[in-house]
Amino acid sequence: MGLRRDIYAEHSNLVPTEFLQSLFVAELIRPSSRIWISSPWITDIDLIDNTARQFGTLVPSWSASWIRLSDVISILLERRSEIVIIANYDPHNTEFLSRVGLLREMHPDRLHIFQTTDVHEKGILTDNFTLDGSMNFTYRGVNINQEYLGYRCDPQTIHERRLVLEERWGKQLWA
Amino acid sequence: MHAFQAPVTVRRFALEANATVKAPPPSREEFNVVTKYLNTDGTQAAVGFEQEVDAVLVRLHLPEGDELADRAATTPSLPVWRVAYFRDRVLNDPGLSSVCNWFQRDWLHQMILTALIETTISIQGDLSDALGVLLSEGLSVRLRDVAARIFAIEVDAATEADEELPTESDDSIHREQLNQRWDDLLANQIVVQRLAMLAPELWDANPKVWGEWLRSRTHETLGEALLNVAYLAVPAHMAEDSLLLDIDRGMPDHDYDLEVWLTEATLGGSGAVEALAHEATQDPRRLIRALESTVAPSDVELTAAGLEAFVDAIGEDAVLADAVAEVRQQIGHNQRVAALDALYRLLAERGFAVDQGLKVALNHRILREGTGASSDRLLRELINQWRAWEYHLGVAIDLRTFALVASSHTEFGPHVRELGGINAQTRITMAEATGVLSGLLWPKIGEVRSRTFQSYGLFHTRGYTDPSFIRELLLIAGPVPVVYGADGWRNDFTKSLADIGIGRIQAAAEREAEFHTEIYRILADPVDVDYLQFYPVIVEVSRNTGTTVTFALQEMF
């Protein structure tokens, strides 16, 4: 039974796009209590292919198009997830962060955006999996660069990862 | 296509025009006008045009009518289709067509359906018994009574539609004229005899006609769905009338399979067909997925289902019921928002898709001011009774008919008046009671589904369509969903992926949490395909009574 997977991606429009789609679709089925997204550089990437309304029953309000990361975050917030986004101060991030910043006005207690010059790790942590590696969640990172991703869904690894992040960001989170 | 030097020549023409003209108030007299086109020598002529356009032709190979009828016998949508079939039988009946127009036939269908349903409930028999009672009491008289109750509601709406504000005498003249028209129509023996002969089609349809109807409706539904697919696939190239739908080529011979034509409306075209062709060659699966998504439950259907499930849930789940009570107790805006957030969280945990549509519907229908535990109880009783009547009769009951029948019901009528807050000593009209019920309840999924495809075509008269024809009669082949938790489910799922590249898992609502955890493991588990290993990805999710997730090995396509 699979509990881990190592992904090596390069110039692929399937991997890791469809893998990320699968992870976030699964999260939408039963949203996690808290989702961490750490990406020094981050873009509002196309995440879920809803062009044929394949996920229309999951989120009926979505149009028949590619669904972006910010739209997915919006729905997760509506469904009571807490989202933590960690990025650096690069101007590249401004567009995405300002877009999700608008969501913070609607969900001030559940959307946290932390920016720091020191962040370098990339990954996603939810109640159900942890995804870590070299990939920034940007167009280049997802579609072009040579990247490595390590996927784990065993409870022990998830818990350890959560402890590390909470120790690092707990003060800001619960301030 | 023009791009291939092979456009299609489309010729559209009319041989005659039929119109029913209504004089303005106070006369409101109706008269039919038929315009025929003739040559100077008196021979038949036509008015129309011919143009060369790009087009898409889809050839269909549908099962024959008897096979579709066999499949329909066990589908959940059968009660809905029975009513739709009966309506079409009345609308298209040659005998009735000779004495009344389309709109009148539609009303006649409504009247006899209501009379049959009401009588069946009253005598606690079946529809056949009800017809016997109606005929013995005088079908004309009973239909007249139903008409009076239906039109007590409709006359007001019709009066409002007039451009000039009606005076009181206008209104009474209008009612009198309407009554007289219906009296004349229902006194016509052709009308009464034809309705009596057609009525049994509701519960005992002619097998050949029924099968042909299923086939023709499935054909047209597929046509509408394919038009929708075009809008989904190439939205940048599609305006409202970019493509026209025809479900045959209008020629009398039958040497070809069933066809669906999508033709560009304008000379030279908008590039829609070219764009569609490009999409089809780039990724053929996208069009097939788009077709499946087009016929999947719409957001309106999901909201209707969600409302009904919510009413059931608050009767069985004390935690939810408390959360609802908490919302109703709040006076301030911020407090209400916080209570609603808590309620939505509970609903999401229980598998409800809490989107904007459901939230609006809940707030408008169930959580609005003045509602409480007693109104929730009444709603539950009404919905349960509605279900029970439909189950007993074997036909779907639309909202208006249910409201009409229930408001005059000995048990529900008083509850409705109580809910309306009207003094029990004061008599309210049947129209008002029906209106209260219609506002309290909402159309069921079957009624909502019939409005899914609303394409407007200048040259195509839209018939009854229902996405469920495709879902329940055609999409029964392909990967059968593996039931999560059944014996050997994992092996069956893996085998399906390995054999055809697609695997579906269906999880009941009560096992969704468990299944959800499994999904993450499935994504990490490679599938052996010959000497290679591929990882499945999620390509589709559908929700009905449970959750169905479709996985695919994309490398196999």
mmCIF file of all heavy atoms in Angstrom, chain B residues 412-454:
data_model
loop_
_atom_site.group_PDB
_atom_site.id
_atom_site.type_symbol
_atom_site.label_atom_id
_atom_site.label_comp_id
_atom_site.label_asym_id
_atom_site.label_seq_id
_atom_site.Cartn_x
_atom_site.Cartn_y
_atom_site.Cartn_z
ATOM 1 N N PHE B 412 -53.025 18.669 5.470
ATOM 2 C CA PHE B 412 -52.039 19.726 5.308
ATOM 3 C C PHE B 412 -52.639 21.103 5.158
ATOM 4 O O PHE B 412 -51.987 22.095 5.475
ATOM 5 C CB PHE B 412 -51.134 19.435 4.109
ATOM 6 C CG PHE B 412 -50.272 18.236 4.308
ATOM 7 C CD1 PHE B 412 -50.412 17.117 3.517
ATOM 8 C CD2 PHE B 412 -49.324 18.230 5.312
ATOM 9 C CE1 PHE B 412 -49.626 16.002 3.728
ATOM 10 C CE2 PHE B 412 -48.533 17.116 5.523
ATOM 11 C CZ PHE B 412 -48.691 15.996 4.725
ATOM 12 N N GLY B 413 -53.850 21.174 4.627
ATOM 13 C CA GLY B 413 -54.452 22.477 4.415
ATOM 14 C C GLY B 413 -54.423 23.341 5.666
ATOM 15 O O GLY B 413 -53.953 24.488 5.632
ATOM 16 N N PRO B 414 -54.898 22.847 6.815
ATOM 17 C CA PRO B 414 -54.881 23.665 8.041
ATOM 18 C C PRO B 414 -53.459 24.042 8.468
ATOM 19 O O PRO B 414 -53.218 25.150 8.945
ATOM 20 C CB PRO B 414 -55.530 22.743 9.084
ATOM 21 C CG PRO B 414 -56.348 21.783 8.310
ATOM 22 C CD PRO B 414 -55.633 21.584 7.005
ATOM 23 N N HIS B 415 -52.506 23.147 8.312
ATOM 24 C CA HIS B 415 -51.115 23.455 8.684
ATOM 25 C C HIS B 415 -50.578 24.599 7.839
ATOM 26 O O HIS B 415 -49.834 25.452 8.329
ATOM 27 C CB HIS B 415 -50.223 22.228 8.465
ATOM 28 C CG HIS B 415 -50.414 21.181 9.516
ATOM 29 N ND1 HIS B 415 -49.513 20.180 9.746
ATOM 30 C CD2 HIS B 415 -51.397 20.981 10.406
ATOM 31 C CE1 HIS B 415 -49.946 19.413 10.717
ATOM 32 N NE2 HIS B 415 -51.088 19.877 11.130
ATOM 33 N N VAL B 416 -50.936 24.596 6.585
ATOM 34 C CA VAL B 416 -50.451 25.654 5.694
ATOM 35 C C VAL B 416 -51.015 27.004 6.138
ATOM 36 O O VAL B 416 -50.306 28.006 6.183
ATOM 37 C CB VAL B 416 -50.833 25.358 4.231
ATOM 38 C CG1 VAL B 416 -50.521 26.545 3.337
ATOM 39 C CG2 VAL B 416 -50.112 24.122 3.743
ATOM 40 N N ARG B 417 -52.289 27.035 6.468
ATOM 41 C CA ARG B 417 -52.900 28.293 6.920
ATOM 42 C C ARG B 417 -52.247 28.751 8.214
ATOM 43 O O ARG B 417 -51.986 29.928 8.421
ATOM 44 C CB ARG B 417 -54.400 28.100 7.108
ATOM 45 C CG ARG B 417 -55.174 28.057 5.793
ATOM 46 C CD ARG B 417 -56.665 28.175 6.044
ATOM 47 N NE ARG B 417 -57.228 26.952 6.596
ATOM 48 C CZ ARG B 417 -57.580 25.887 5.874
ATOM 49 N NH1 ARG B 417 -57.401 25.886 4.573
ATOM 50 N NH2 ARG B 417 -58.088 24.822 6.445
ATOM 51 N N GLU B 418 -51.953 27.805 9.071
ATOM 52 C CA GLU B 418 -51.298 28.145 10.338
ATOM 53 C C GLU B 418 -49.918 28.724 10.073
ATOM 54 O O GLU B 418 -49.503 29.714 10.664
ATOM 55 C CB GLU B 418 -51.191 26.872 11.174
ATOM 56 C CG GLU B 418 -50.597 27.080 12.560
ATOM 57 C CD GLU B 418 -50.335 25.736 13.241
ATOM 58 O OE1 GLU B 418 -51.070 24.764 12.970
ATOM 59 O OE2 GLU B 418 -49.390 25.663 14.036
ATOM 60 N N LEU B 419 -49.192 28.107 9.174
ATOM 61 C CA LEU B 419 -47.851 28.567 8.848
ATOM 62 C C LEU B 419 -47.887 29.949 8.241
ATOM 63 O O LEU B 419 -47.030 30.783 8.477
ATOM 64 C CB LEU B 419 -47.181 27.591 7.875
ATOM 65 C CG LEU B 419 -45.733 27.915 7.551
ATOM 66 C CD1 LEU B 419 -44.854 27.644 8.747
ATOM 67 C CD2 LEU B 419 -45.253 27.097 6.368
ATOM 68 N N GLY B 420 -48.942 30.227 7.426
ATOM 69 C CA GLY B 420 -49.038 31.536 6.802
ATOM 70 C C GLY B 420 -49.335 32.622 7.821
ATOM 71 O O GLY B 420 -49.341 33.798 7.502
ATOM 72 N N GLY B 421 -49.584 32.221 9.083
ATOM 73 C CA GLY B 421 -49.834 33.213 10.127
ATOM 74 C C GLY B 421 -51.193 33.837 10.001
ATOM 75 O O GLY B 421 -51.476 34.881 10.574
ATOM 76 N N ILE B 422 -52.033 33.190 9.233
ATOM 77 C CA ILE B 422 -53.356 33.770 9.021
ATOM 78 C C ILE B 422 -54.315 33.187 10.046
ATOM 79 O O ILE B 422 -54.271 31.999 10.346
ATOM 80 C CB ILE B 422 -53.824 33.463 7.587
ATOM 81 C CG1 ILE B 422 -52.881 34.167 6.610
ATOM 82 C CG2 ILE B 422 -55.246 33.931 7.356
ATOM 83 C CD1 ILE B 422 -53.118 33.781 5.176
ATOM 84 N N ASN B 423 -55.139 34.024 10.589
ATOM 85 C CA ASN B 423 -56.121 33.625 11.581
ATOM 86 C C ASN B 423 -56.914 32.429 11.077
ATOM 87 O O ASN B 423 -57.463 32.432 9.999
ATOM 88 C CB ASN B 423 -57.057 34.811 11.826
ATOM 89 C CG ASN B 423 -57.951 34.577 13.013
ATOM 90 O OD1 ASN B 423 -58.423 33.460 13.223
ATOM 91 N ND2 ASN B 423 -58.163 35.614 13.794
ATOM 92 N N ALA B 424 -56.959 31.391 11.915
ATOM 93 C CA ALA B 424 -57.639 30.167 11.492
ATOM 94 C C ALA B 424 -59.111 30.395 11.211
ATOM 95 O O ALA B 424 -59.746 29.614 10.521
ATOM 96 C CB ALA B 424 -57.467 29.096 12.569
ATOM 97 N N GLN B 425 -59.646 31.464 11.783
ATOM 98 C CA GLN B 425 -61.056 31.727 11.533
ATOM 99 C C GLN B 425 -61.293 32.361 10.169
ATOM 100 O O GLN B 425 -62.401 32.397 9.682
ATOM 101 C CB GLN B 425 -61.617 32.689 12.612
ATOM 102 C CG GLN B 425 -61.466 32.171 14.036
ATOM 103 C CD GLN B 425 -62.171 30.841 14.224
ATOM 104 O OE1 GLN B 425 -63.266 30.646 13.735
ATOM 105 N NE2 GLN B 425 -61.526 29.921 14.918
ATOM 106 N N THR B 426 -60.220 32.911 9.622
ATOM 107 C CA THR B 426 -60.379 33.598 8.344
ATOM 108 C C THR B 426 -60.155 32.620 7.202
ATOM 109 O O THR B 426 -59.166 31.921 7.181
ATOM 110 C CB THR B 426 -59.350 34.727 8.214
ATOM 111 O OG1 THR B 426 -59.422 35.556 9.361
ATOM 112 C CG2 THR B 426 -59.588 35.539 6.959
ATOM 113 N N ARG B 427 -61.075 32.603 6.253
ATOM 114 C CA ARG B 427 -60.888 31.726 5.104
ATOM 115 C C ARG B 427 -59.905 32.374 4.127
ATOM 116 O O ARG B 427 -59.999 33.554 3.832
ATOM 117 C CB ARG B 427 -62.220 31.513 4.386
ATOM 118 C CG ARG B 427 -63.167 30.556 5.114
ATOM 119 C CD ARG B 427 -64.487 30.466 4.360
ATOM 120 N NE ARG B 427 -64.319 29.959 3.014
ATOM 121 C CZ ARG B 427 -64.253 28.667 2.715
ATOM 122 N NH1 ARG B 427 -64.324 27.758 3.667
ATOM 123 N NH2 ARG B 427 -64.105 28.270 1.470
ATOM 124 N N ILE B 428 -58.966 31.605 3.674
ATOM 125 C CA ILE B 428 -58.109 32.094 2.596
ATOM 126 C C ILE B 428 -58.463 31.313 1.351
ATOM 127 O O ILE B 428 -58.983 30.200 1.426
ATOM 128 C CB ILE B 428 -56.601 31.935 2.910
ATOM 129 C CG1 ILE B 428 -56.224 30.451 3.082
ATOM 130 C CG2 ILE B 428 -56.221 32.723 4.135
ATOM 131 C CD1 ILE B 428 -54.722 30.239 3.122
ATOM 132 N N THR B 429 -58.203 31.925 0.204
ATOM 133 C CA THR B 429 -58.534 31.246 -1.046
ATOM 134 C C THR B 429 -57.576 30.088 -1.268
ATOM 135 O O THR B 429 -56.464 30.049 -0.715
ATOM 136 C CB THR B 429 -58.430 32.205 -2.238
ATOM 137 O OG1 THR B 429 -57.051 32.585 -2.388
ATOM 138 C CG2 THR B 429 -59.308 33.429 -2.030
ATOM 139 N N MET B 430 -58.034 29.157 -2.096
ATOM 140 C CA MET B 430 -57.185 28.020 -2.434
ATOM 141 C C MET B 430 -55.934 28.513 -3.136
ATOM 142 O O MET B 430 -54.839 27.981 -2.942
ATOM 143 C CB MET B 430 -57.974 27.073 -3.346
ATOM 144 C CG MET B 430 -57.387 25.689 -3.417
ATOM 145 S SD MET B 430 -57.306 24.913 -1.797
ATOM 146 C CE MET B 430 -59.052 24.770 -1.427
ATOM 147 N N ALA B 431 -56.094 29.565 -3.930
ATOM 148 C CA ALA B 431 -54.937 30.104 -4.655
ATOM 149 C C ALA B 431 -53.889 30.601 -3.667
ATOM 150 O O ALA B 431 -52.696 30.394 -3.855
ATOM 151 C CB ALA B 431 -55.378 31.234 -5.576
ATOM 152 N N GLU B 432 -54.341 31.254 -2.606
ATOM 153 C CA GLU B 432 -53.392 31.766 -1.607
ATOM 154 C C GLU B 432 -52.695 30.619 -0.888
ATOM 155 O O GLU B 432 -51.490 30.647 -0.660
ATOM 156 C CB GLU B 432 -54.109 32.672 -0.609
ATOM 157 C CG GLU B 432 -54.476 34.035 -1.198
ATOM 158 C CD GLU B 432 -55.428 34.808 -0.312
ATOM 159 O OE1 GLU B 432 -56.041 34.184 0.585
ATOM 160 O OE2 GLU B 432 -55.581 36.015 -0.527
ATOM 161 N N ALA B 433 -53.458 29.598 -0.518
ATOM 162 C CA ALA B 433 -52.851 28.452 0.163
ATOM 163 C C ALA B 433 -51.845 27.761 -0.751
ATOM 164 O O ALA B 433 -50.758 27.354 -0.324
ATOM 165 C CB ALA B 433 -53.928 27.469 0.599
ATOM 166 N N THR B 434 -52.217 27.622 -2.029
ATOM 167 C CA THR B 434 -51.304 27.006 -2.996
ATOM 168 C C THR B 434 -50.050 27.859 -3.144
ATOM 169 O O THR B 434 -48.937 27.346 -3.227
ATOM 170 C CB THR B 434 -51.989 26.850 -4.359
ATOM 171 O OG1 THR B 434 -53.200 26.114 -4.179
ATOM 172 C CG2 THR B 434 -51.101 26.119 -5.344
ATOM 173 N N GLY B 435 -50.246 29.174 -3.167
ATOM 174 C CA GLY B 435 -49.106 30.075 -3.287
ATOM 175 C C GLY B 435 -48.160 29.957 -2.110
ATOM 176 O O GLY B 435 -46.942 29.974 -2.268
ATOM 177 N N VAL B 436 -48.726 29.816 -0.908
ATOM 178 C CA VAL B 436 -47.881 29.676 0.284
ATOM 179 C C VAL B 436 -47.029 28.410 0.177
ATOM 180 O O VAL B 436 -45.821 28.418 0.412
ATOM 181 C CB VAL B 436 -48.743 29.632 1.570
ATOM 182 C CG1 VAL B 436 -47.915 29.189 2.767
ATOM 183 C CG2 VAL B 436 -49.363 30.993 1.836
ATOM 184 N N LEU B 437 -47.676 27.320 -0.214
ATOM 185 C CA LEU B 437 -46.935 26.058 -0.346
ATOM 186 C C LEU B 437 -45.880 26.143 -1.442
ATOM 187 O O LEU B 437 -44.763 25.649 -1.291
ATOM 188 C CB LEU B 437 -47.893 24.914 -0.661
ATOM 189 C CG LEU B 437 -48.402 24.095 0.517
ATOM 190 C CD1 LEU B 437 -49.202 22.919 0.024
ATOM 191 C CD2 LEU B 437 -47.269 23.620 1.407
ATOM 192 N N SER B 438 -46.225 26.758 -2.547
ATOM 193 C CA SER B 438 -45.269 26.878 -3.654
ATOM 194 C C SER B 438 -44.054 27.688 -3.243
ATOM 195 O O SER B 438 -42.946 27.439 -3.699
ATOM 196 C CB SER B 438 -45.919 27.540 -4.871
ATOM 197 O OG SER B 438 -46.966 26.744 -5.354
ATOM 198 N N GLY B 439 -44.280 28.684 -2.369
ATOM 199 C CA GLY B 439 -43.162 29.487 -1.907
ATOM 200 C C GLY B 439 -42.342 28.774 -0.856
ATOM 201 O O GLY B 439 -41.143 28.975 -0.738
ATOM 202 N N LEU B 440 -43.010 27.930 -0.093
ATOM 203 C CA LEU B 440 -42.328 27.210 0.984
ATOM 204 C C LEU B 440 -41.430 26.111 0.436
ATOM 205 O O LEU B 440 -40.326 25.882 0.921
ATOM 206 C CB LEU B 440 -43.395 26.602 1.906
ATOM 207 C CG LEU B 440 -42.934 25.940 3.185
ATOM 208 C CD1 LEU B 440 -42.318 26.963 4.097
ATOM 209 C CD2 LEU B 440 -44.118 25.273 3.873
ATOM 210 N N LEU B 441 -41.944 25.410 -0.556
ATOM 211 C CA LEU B 441 -41.206 24.285 -1.128
ATOM 212 C C LEU B 441 -40.433 24.723 -2.360
ATOM 213 O O LEU B 441 -40.418 25.887 -2.708
ATOM 214 C CB LEU B 441 -42.184 23.156 -1.473
ATOM 215 C CG LEU B 441 -42.875 22.525 -0.270
ATOM 216 C CD1 LEU B 441 -44.065 21.696 -0.719
ATOM 217 C CD2 LEU B 441 -41.909 21.659 0.524
ATOM 218 N N TRP B 442 -39.813 23.770 -3.008
ATOM 219 C CA TRP B 442 -38.995 24.063 -4.193
ATOM 220 C C TRP B 442 -39.168 22.918 -5.178
ATOM 221 O O TRP B 442 -39.524 21.793 -4.800
ATOM 222 C CB TRP B 442 -37.520 24.217 -3.805
ATOM 223 C CG TRP B 442 -36.996 23.069 -2.994
ATOM 224 C CD1 TRP B 442 -36.435 21.912 -3.443
ATOM 225 C CD2 TRP B 442 -37.053 22.950 -1.566
ATOM 226 N NE1 TRP B 442 -36.132 21.082 -2.398
ATOM 227 C CE2 TRP B 442 -36.494 21.686 -1.235
ATOM 228 C CE3 TRP B 442 -37.511 23.770 -0.545
ATOM 229 C CZ2 TRP B 442 -36.392 21.242 0.089
ATOM 230 C CZ3 TRP B 442 -37.408 23.335 0.754
ATOM 231 C CH2 TRP B 442 -36.853 22.080 1.072
ATOM 232 N N PRO B 443 -38.903 23.188 -6.466
ATOM 233 C CA PRO B 443 -39.065 22.113 -7.468
ATOM 234 C C PRO B 443 -38.098 20.969 -7.179
ATOM 235 O O PRO B 443 -36.979 21.190 -6.742
ATOM 236 C CB PRO B 443 -38.723 22.790 -8.793
ATOM 237 C CG PRO B 443 -38.811 24.233 -8.530
ATOM 238 C CD PRO B 443 -38.502 24.445 -7.084
ATOM 239 N N LYS B 444 -38.552 19.764 -7.440
ATOM 240 C CA LYS B 444 -37.696 18.590 -7.226
ATOM 241 C C LYS B 444 -36.698 18.447 -8.372
ATOM 242 O O LYS B 444 -36.800 19.123 -9.406
ATOM 243 C CB LYS B 444 -38.553 17.335 -7.117
ATOM 244 C CG LYS B 444 -39.350 17.301 -5.828
ATOM 245 C CD LYS B 444 -39.936 15.945 -5.614
ATOM 246 C CE LYS B 444 -39.661 15.497 -4.205
ATOM 247 N NZ LYS B 444 -39.873 14.090 -4.000
ATOM 248 N N ILE B 445 -35.773 17.542 -8.163
ATOM 249 C CA ILE B 445 -34.664 17.413 -9.117
ATOM 250 C C ILE B 445 -35.171 17.116 -10.525
ATOM 251 O O ILE B 445 -34.681 17.673 -11.499
ATOM 252 C CB ILE B 445 -33.715 16.296 -8.654
ATOM 253 C CG1 ILE B 445 -33.110 16.665 -7.316
ATOM 254 C CG2 ILE B 445 -32.605 16.071 -9.662
ATOM 255 C CD1 ILE B 445 -32.296 15.537 -6.702
ATOM 256 N N GLY B 446 -36.173 16.244 -10.638
ATOM 257 C CA GLY B 446 -36.682 15.878 -11.963
ATOM 258 C C GLY B 446 -37.239 17.076 -12.700
ATOM 259 O O GLY B 446 -37.047 17.239 -13.906
ATOM 260 N N GLU B 447 -37.932 17.939 -11.984
ATOM 261 C CA GLU B 447 -38.525 19.132 -12.599
ATOM 262 C C GLU B 447 -37.421 20.111 -12.985
ATOM 263 O O GLU B 447 -37.468 20.751 -14.037
ATOM 264 C CB GLU B 447 -39.478 19.780 -11.597
ATOM 265 C CG GLU B 447 -40.419 20.796 -12.193
ATOM 266 C CD GLU B 447 -41.412 21.322 -11.164
ATOM 267 O OE1 GLU B 447 -41.617 20.675 -10.118
ATOM 268 O OE2 GLU B 447 -41.967 22.399 -11.421
ATOM 269 N N VAL B 448 -36.418 20.242 -12.136
ATOM 270 C CA VAL B 448 -35.302 21.155 -12.392
ATOM 271 C C VAL B 448 -34.492 20.679 -13.598
ATOM 272 O O VAL B 448 -34.078 21.463 -14.438
ATOM 273 C CB VAL B 448 -34.405 21.222 -11.130
ATOM 274 C CG1 VAL B 448 -33.029 21.736 -11.455
ATOM 275 C CG2 VAL B 448 -35.065 22.066 -10.061
ATOM 276 N N ARG B 449 -34.324 19.381 -13.692
ATOM 277 C CA ARG B 449 -33.494 18.819 -14.770
ATOM 278 C C ARG B 449 -34.054 19.111 -16.144
ATOM 279 O O ARG B 449 -33.312 19.253 -17.111
ATOM 280 C CB ARG B 449 -33.434 17.296 -14.610
ATOM 281 C CG ARG B 449 -32.291 16.776 -13.834
ATOM 282 C CD ARG B 449 -32.029 15.326 -14.157
ATOM 283 N NE ARG B 449 -33.198 14.553 -14.433
ATOM 284 C CZ ARG B 449 -33.732 13.664 -13.589
ATOM 285 N NH1 ARG B 449 -33.194 13.490 -12.400
ATOM 286 N NH2 ARG B 449 -34.789 12.966 -13.930
ATOM 287 N N SER B 450 -35.372 19.178 -16.247
ATOM 288 C CA SER B 450 -35.974 19.373 -17.568
ATOM 289 C C SER B 450 -35.639 20.752 -18.126
ATOM 290 O O SER B 450 -35.864 21.023 -19.304
ATOM 291 C CB SER B 450 -37.495 19.190 -17.493
ATOM 292 O OG SER B 450 -38.045 20.199 -16.673
ATOM 293 N N ARG B 451 -35.136 21.642 -17.269
ATOM 294 C CA ARG B 451 -34.774 22.988 -17.740
ATOM 295 C C ARG B 451 -33.270 23.135 -17.935
ATOM 296 O O ARG B 451 -32.772 24.238 -18.130
ATOM 297 C CB ARG B 451 -35.238 24.033 -16.717
ATOM 298 C CG ARG B 451 -36.715 23.999 -16.463
ATOM 299 C CD ARG B 451 -37.081 24.954 -15.347
ATOM 300 N NE ARG B 451 -38.271 24.504 -14.649
ATOM 301 C CZ ARG B 451 -38.553 24.752 -13.384
ATOM 302 N NH1 ARG B 451 -37.716 25.462 -12.651
ATOM 303 N NH2 ARG B 451 -39.645 24.317 -12.825
ATOM 304 N N THR B 452 -32.533 22.024 -17.861
ATOM 305 C CA THR B 452 -31.072 22.107 -17.974
ATOM 306 C C THR B 452 -30.656 22.661 -19.328
ATOM 307 O O THR B 452 -29.814 23.543 -19.427
ATOM 308 C CB THR B 452 -30.444 20.712 -17.783
ATOM 309 O OG1 THR B 452 -30.792 20.224 -16.499
ATOM 310 C CG2 THR B 452 -28.937 20.769 -17.917
ATOM 311 N N PHE B 453 -31.259 22.134 -20.385
ATOM 312 C CA PHE B 453 -30.876 22.555 -21.729
ATOM 313 C C PHE B 453 -31.911 23.548 -22.247
ATOM 314 O O PHE B 453 -33.057 23.197 -22.469
ATOM 315 C CB PHE B 453 -30.775 21.350 -22.663
ATOM 316 C CG PHE B 453 -29.713 20.372 -22.247
ATOM 317 C CD1 PHE B 453 -29.994 19.033 -22.112
ATOM 318 C CD2 PHE B 453 -28.419 20.813 -21.974
ATOM 319 C CE1 PHE B 453 -29.009 18.133 -21.723
ATOM 320 C CE2 PHE B 453 -27.437 19.920 -21.587
ATOM 321 C CZ PHE B 453 -27.731 18.580 -21.455
ATOM 322 N N GLN B 454 -31.449 24.774 -22.393
ATOM 323 C CA GLN B 454 -32.372 25.847 -22.768
ATOM 324 C C GLN B 454 -31.910 26.516 -24.051
ATOM 325 O O GLN B 454 -32.041 27.715 -24.195
ATOM 326 C CB GLN B 454 -32.412 26.901 -21.654
ATOM 327 C CG GLN B 454 -32.871 26.377 -20.310
ATOM 328 C CD GLN B 454 -34.380 26.308 -20.216
ATOM 329 O OE1 GLN B 454 -35.082 27.232 -20.585
ATOM 330 N NE2 GLN B 454 -34.892 25.196 -19.734
#
